[in-house]
Amino acid sequence: MQVVFEGLGAIVLRRLDIGLTKHGARFAPLRLVLLRQEDAHHEFGVRSLQRLVTSADERTGLRAACAEYCALNDAILHACSELFGDFDAEIAEYIEQARIGLPAFLTSAAT
C-alpha cells in the first residue's frame, strides 16, 4: 500500500508545477520538501519489498494486493477530479504515471 500511495503523492506533487504558475510560487519550497519526502518513502518501500519478497507465492500475493490498491488509487483520483481540474490535469495521466512508477514485480505476471 505504501508503495502505491507514496508513488501517487510524488506524481501529484511533480505535476503541481502547472498549478504553481497559476496560484503563485510561494508554495514551491514546501512542495519541494514534500516531493523529496514522498520519493524517499516510495523508494524505501520498494527496496524493503525487494528484500523481503523471496518466493513466487509472496510475489503473487503482493501483485493481487497491489491491484486492489491501484483500484483504490484510481477511485481516489476520480473522486478528486474536480480539484485536479483547477490544475489543468487529466486523471488518466495520473493513473498512467502511478502505474509506471510501480516496480515490475508488483505489476507483471512474471515470477
Side-chain angles (χ1 to χ4, degrees), residues 27-105:
F27 298 109
L30 177 59
R31 181 194 142 275
L32 184 59
V33 169
L34 293 172
L35 178 56
R36 287 181 183 154
Q37 176 182 322
E38 294 295 318
D39 281 337
H41 288 168
H42 180 74
E43 289 303 316
F44 172 78
V46 170
R47 285 192 313 272
S48 295
L49 286 175
Q50 288 171 332
R51 282 193 306 268
L52 294 171
V53 177
T54 58
S55 74
D57 287 340
E58 289 172 330
R59 285 190 293 276
T60 299
L62 278 175
R63 273 193 297 277
C66 183
E68 290 178 23
Y69 289 124
C70 284
L72 181 58
N73 201 31
D74 297 353
I76 290 168
L77 286 169
H78 285 291
C80 297
S81 62
E82 285 185 40
L83 297 172
F84 284 89
D86 289 343
F87 297 107
D88 298 324
E90 293 293 327
I91 297 303
E93 292 174 20
Y94 282 93
I95 291 171
E96 179 183 349
Q97 289 297 310
R99 297 298 191 282
I100 290 169
L102 292 172
F105 71 93

Side-chain angles (χ1 to χ4, degrees), residues 8-30:
L8 175 62
I11 291 164
V12 170
L13 288 167
R14 267 191 210 92
R15 295 185 53 104
L16 279 180
D17 286 334
I18 297 166
L20 286 176
T21 59
K22 181 178 175 182
H23 298 286
R26 66 185 176 274
F27 298 109
L30 177 59

